[in-house]
């Protein structure tokens, strides 16, 4: 049923989403978001002739904090069929962390509902704040510009919009402004001007799991992750460990 509802709702809502929303959408995803981040860094820095500053934020306990009535009303803006709204409301209200709050993390409909909800933030940032270089993946988002002061000034505006319109708050310990050339930790990779590497925590977790349970499926999965970044040495370590366990070397 969730898949059937998703197939009906997705094309209706997806065409209203901004281009640079990358979570759970056709022809989008993590790697395209990271590539776009690098493209934006070149534009914001005028091809590395200026300093590119990046504001990185996420929403505190996003899925648990979604206001169900606000979400239903956003869906009602495009869906007028009363029976469809009844069914969608039943799904949304079948789960809650607090009364009237939250949607389940695993459902395919929840991924679409999350994009519908945060599309309000996207529209605010693009059309009210008129920010050019903005990327969002679920509740993680980044804004790039050549002015640190500008980024410092818009944090309050974004936080105020989230709280007043969507009853959400920015995660206070995950608001970060830094130079792009210092490395931007975003969506599992750390991006620099000319290359990107795997996040240190992800690398350490990968090596630990590989030692505990080294199967060919796991190795293939890890190599698939690593092909998207500069990771020659890490690939060698993984392959040596794998063949050592097989007693080939």
């Amino acid at each position: 049923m969730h898949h059937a509802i998703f197939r009906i709702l997705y094309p209706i809502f997806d065409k209203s989403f901004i281009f640079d929303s990358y979570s759970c959408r056709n022809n989008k995803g993590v790697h395209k978001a990271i590539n776009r981040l690098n493209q934006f860094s070149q534009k914001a820095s005028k091809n590395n002739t200026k300093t590119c500053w990046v504001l990185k934020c996420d929403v505190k306990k996003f899925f648990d904090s979604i206001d169900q009535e606000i979400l239903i009303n956003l869906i009602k803006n495009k869906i007028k069929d009363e029976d469809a709204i009844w069914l969608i409301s039943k799904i949304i209200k079948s789960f809650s962390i607090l009364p009237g709050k939250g949607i389940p993390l695993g459902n395919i409909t929840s991924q679409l509902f999350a994009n519908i909800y945060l599309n309000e933030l996207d529209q605010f940032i693009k059309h009210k704040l008129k920010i050019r270089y903005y990327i969002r993946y679920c509740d993680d988002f980044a804004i790039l510009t050549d002015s640190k002061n500008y980024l410092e000034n818009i944090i309050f505006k974004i936080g105020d919009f989230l709280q007043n319109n969507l009853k959400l708050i920015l995660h206070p310990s995950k608001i970060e402004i830094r130079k792009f050339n210092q490395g931007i930790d975003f969506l599992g990779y750390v991006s620099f001007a000319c290359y990107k590497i795997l996040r240190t925590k992800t690398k350490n977790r990968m090596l630990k799991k590989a030692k505990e349970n080294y199967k060919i499926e796991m190795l293939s999965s890890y190599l698939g992750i690593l092909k998207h970044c500069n990771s020659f040495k890490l690939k060698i370590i993984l392959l040596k460990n794998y063949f050592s366990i097989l007693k080939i070397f």
Side-chain angles (χ1 to χ4, degrees):
M1 183 181 67
H2 284 272
H3 282 271
I5 292 170
F6 179 87
R7 284 196 299 269
I8 298 296
L9 295 184
Y10 178 85
I12 296 172
F13 285 93
D14 187 72
K15 61 187 178 183
S16 67
F17 296 158
I18 66 168
F19 181 86
D20 288 306
S21 165
Y22 287 88
S23 174
C24 303
R25 298 180 65 196
N26 295 338
N27 301 313
K28 299 291 183 177
V30 168
H31 303 299
K32 288 193 175 182
I34 294 169
N35 290 338
R36 187 69 161 170
L37 183 77
N38 281 271
Q39 292 172 14
F40 280 170
S41 75
Q42 292 295 312
K43 293 179 179 180
S45 67
K46 304 292 191 293
N47 291 322
N48 297 318
T49 60
K50 292 186 175 182
T51 300
C52 175
W53 292 91
V54 183
L55 168 64
K56 195 160 64 76
C57 306
D58 77 5
V59 177
K60 187 175 182 180
K61 296 182 179 178
F62 170 57
F63 280 91
D64 292 349
S65 302
I66 288 176
D67 185 282
Q68 294 174 351
E69 287 302 323
I70 291 176
L71 174 59
I72 291 168
N73 286 331
L74 290 174
I75 294 171
K76 283 181 178 178
N77 289 338
K78 290 188 177 293
I79 305 299
K80 304 302 181 183
D81 184 273
E82 292 183 3
D83 292 334
I85 292 296
W86 176 86
L87 179 58
I88 292 167
S89 298
K90 284 288 185 182
I91 290 172
I92 291 171
K93 293 181 178 181
S94 66
F95 173 91
S96 63
I97 297 296
L98 296 172
K101 293 280 189 177
I103 58 175
L105 188 56
N107 292 346
I108 188 171
T109 47
S110 294
Q111 308 304 317
L112 176 59
F113 293 157
N115 275 335
I116 293 170
Y117 206 77
L118 284 182
N119 183 53
E120 299 301 299
L121 173 65
D122 298 341
Q123 300 299 330
F124 171 74
I125 287 177
K126 295 297 290 185
H127 299 297
K128 296 295 183 181
L129 298 183
K130 299 187 183 302
I131 292 171
R132 294 184 66 186
Y133 305 130
Y134 164 75
I135 295 170
R136 181 178 64 80
Y137 187 97
C138 195
D139 62 315
D140 291 314
F141 60 91
I143 296 170
L144 298 82
T145 183
D146 61 1
S147 170
K148 183 181 180 181
N149 288 338
Y150 176 75
L151 295 178
E152 290 172 340
N153 290 333
I154 64 171
I155 292 172
F156 175 78
K157 294 178 182 179
I158 293 171
D160 191 55
F161 175 85
L162 284 170
Q163 192 164 8
N164 292 336
N165 293 272
L166 299 175
K167 298 184 180 179
L168 300 173
I169 60 172
L170 292 174
H171 200 302
S173 65
K174 294 184 179 180
I175 299 172
E176 182 181 24
I177 298 176
R178 62 188 289 127
K179 297 175 183 178
F180 192 88
N181 62 16
Q182 292 176 312
I184 302 302
D185 188 338
F186 189 59
L187 305 180
Y189 297 88
V190 181
S191 295
F192 296 87
C194 299
Y195 66 97
K196 55 181 177 284
I197 59 175
L198 196 65
R199 178 185 289 163
T200 301
K201 287 183 179 178
T202 306
K203 179 184 73 174
N204 292 339
R205 186 168 60 248
M206 180 183 292
L207 291 172
K208 181 181 178 182
K209 287 187 177 181
K211 288 181 180 179
E212 294 172 352
N213 182 19
Y214 229 120
K215 295 182 178 179
I216 187 62
E217 295 85 358
M218 181 179 290
L219 177 64
S220 298
S221 175
Y222 289 161
L223 293 177
I225 293 170
L226 294 176
K227 74 179 182 180
H228 296 282
C229 64
N230 299 73
S231 57
F232 179 77
K233 291 182 180 179
L234 184 54
K235 288 177 185 176
I236 294 299
I237 293 171
L238 289 171
L239 289 168
K240 281 186 175 180
N241 286 345
Y242 178 73
F243 289 119
S244 176
I245 289 171
L246 291 181
K247 297 181 179 179
I248 292 176
F249 292 153

